[in-house]
Amino acid sequence: MFPGLLEDYIETVLHVAATANDEAIVDDKFSLRSMSGKNYSVTIRGQNQTIVDSLDEWSALRDFYEGAIYWTPGEKGYRVDSINRRKGEIIVLPIQELTYYTQSTYRDVIDIIQTYQKQNTEGIDIAYGELEIKRSVFGYKKVYFGQKHESEQVQLDHPSVTRFIPEGMWVTLTDSQWSQLKNGIQELADEGRSIDLLAEASLHAAGHAMTSVIPDLIICDANDFTGFSASGMTAFANRPVIGFYGENGSGLGTIEAIYEKLPQVLRKALELIESCPCAEGCPSCVQLPGKGNIELFKPGAKMLLKILIEGID
């Protein structure tokens, strides 16, 4: 009946159905996010009060995990106490005084399901379609307020795995364009930073700059989409890629708009970098809050954006 359904989905559905009353089994399995559309509620323990309702599972398991800190718009703090994936319930405890906040640590594995539209200009492939994202949330970082303590990494006892099938768009470079970037940054490399490392950091920085300007060009919120970049992803034939996928449902039209307005996004991102006086990159140009700002190289990002713009023009 469903020839395109993945085998692990089928095994999970049958296993969960056979053990419907065993909550531990459900907790150990990934969510069928794209199939079930399960929503979560966030409730204060011991009180008949829900502080968040109808939260999609993709966002819930990314932002709410045992030990996570949650702030309400009224500046009240809560710590996640427990999660019931079968019932879609997240229980939190009020916190009177907090000395830190938390950021989830996760890894996404991305595959292409199908391509809706595709363009090829001077070897640069620009595509819009459907992706499958497998997200593993395996820990979180405690970031302390002030300078008294360094941040602390915490591993989860029960990591969560979810699958999601959102709309996505991506742009890939040719080998010659990647070599052109490496030649351009060659004289900036040294023993501590190899050419390959700087090229990868340039790719990440360019993606961050594009992420920063997208809400200025498209009517959307920064939380509506997530960017990704890498030079060795098998789904993209190990070619350097910068892409974006929708975080809420299918992207609410945001991803298709990014695909259609990519030339403007690239030019706006280059303008952002060129207008910032910093040397290596800062929060005003290529650094994004909580998005892994360790390996970023602003000079290379500027070169890379120019290469992409030349390829599209």
Side-chain angles (χ1 to χ4, degrees):
M1 290 177 64
F2 307 103
L5 199 61
L6 296 178
E7 183 179 352
D8 50 2
Y9 279 170
I10 298 173
E11 291 179 355
T12 298
V13 170
L14 294 176
H15 196 57
V16 170
T19 56
N21 294 324
D22 189 347
E23 183 178 320
I25 294 295
V26 181
D27 283 343
D28 287 342
K29 291 296 180 180
F30 56 76
S31 159
L32 305 185
R33 168 65 180 88
S34 60
M35 298 170 60
S36 67
K38 179 186 289 186
N39 288 329
Y40 280 67
S41 62
V42 182
T43 306
I44 302 174
R45 179 174 292 282
Q47 302 181 26
N48 188 22
Q49 180 182 355
T50 299
I51 57 177
V52 181
D53 198 12
S54 299
L55 182 66
D56 68 275
E57 187 166 36
W58 184 249
S59 300
L61 298 181
R62 178 197 62 197
D63 299 332
F64 293 87
Y65 37 86
E66 292 187 15
I69 299 299
Y70 174 71
W71 290 89
T72 65
E75 295 299 318
K76 291 184 178 180
Y78 300 89
R79 180 183 290 111
V80 175
D81 182 57
S82 63
I83 302 172
N84 188 320
R85 294 183 67 172
R86 182 170 61 86
K87 294 182 179 180
E89 293 180 346
I90 299 171
I91 306 299
V92 298
L93 297 172
I95 302 297
Q96 298 300 322
E97 182 178 356
L98 285 175
T99 58
Y100 64 89
Y101 63 93
T102 57
Q103 295 176 343
S104 60
T105 306
Y106 59 86
R107 179 175 181 268
D108 288 344
V109 177
I110 303 175
D111 284 313
I112 300 172
I113 300 298
Q114 60 179 316
T115 301
Y116 301 145
Q117 301 179 49
K118 189 174 183 179
Q119 304 175 38
N120 183 281
T121 308
E122 295 295 326
I124 298 177
D125 289 328
I126 308 169
Y128 161 61
E130 190 175 61
L131 299 173
E132 181 190 55
I133 317 293
K134 179 182 177 182
R135 174 170 294 172
S136 303
V137 180
F138 53 85
Y140 62 92
K141 181 186 293 185
K142 287 183 178 181
V143 182
Y144 291 90
F145 299 117
Q147 303 296 326
K148 294 183 179 181
H149 300 282
E150 295 184 357
S151 59
E152 176 184 349
Q153 184 66 40
V154 179
Q155 300 297 317
L156 292 175
D157 293 332
H158 305 287
S160 64
V161 181
T162 52
R163 291 181 185 269
F164 180 46
I165 302 181
E167 289 182 346
M169 69 79 54
W170 55 96
V171 52
T172 52
L173 284 77
T174 63
D175 291 339
S176 62
Q177 289 155 345
W178 192 234
S179 297
Q180 182 181 347
L181 171 65
K182 289 185 176 181
N183 291 334
I185 62 176
Q186 184 173 5
E187 61 181 18
L188 301 175
D190 53 39
E191 293 183 0
R193 301 187 301 179
S194 66
I195 295 177
D196 289 338
L197 187 150
L198 289 182
E200 195 79 24
S202 301
L203 190 70
H204 293 328
H208 279 201
M210 293 168 68
T211 298
S212 295
V213 303
I214 285 172
D216 296 334
L217 298 171
I218 299 168
I219 300 176
C220 68
D221 186 89
N223 295 319
D224 290 341
F225 65 95
T226 289
F228 64 91
S229 59
S231 62
M233 300 177 70
T234 55
F236 303 95
N238 294 319
R239 292 172 59 185
V241 59
I242 297 175
F244 304 91
Y245 59 81
E247 278 285 357
N248 302 318
S250 62
L252 306 176
T254 300
I255 302 303
E256 186 175 9
I258 297 173
Y259 171 78
E260 294 173 347
K261 295 186 177 183
L262 182 64
Q264 295 96 308
V265 171
L266 293 172
R267 293 188 183 93
K268 189 72 173 179
L270 178 60
E271 180 183 324
L272 173 67
I273 289 179
E274 290 182 331
S275 64
C276 185
C278 76
E280 291 287 336
C282 70
S284 295
C285 54
V286 300
Q287 292 182 6
L288 296 174
K291 296 295 183 180
N293 297 304
I294 299 176
E295 295 181 358
L296 297 173
F297 189 53
K298 178 183 175 181
K302 180 178 176 179
M303 295 180 194
L304 179 57
L305 289 170
K306 287 183 177 180
I307 291 172
L308 290 172
I309 292 170
E310 291 173 359
I312 292 175
D313 287 343

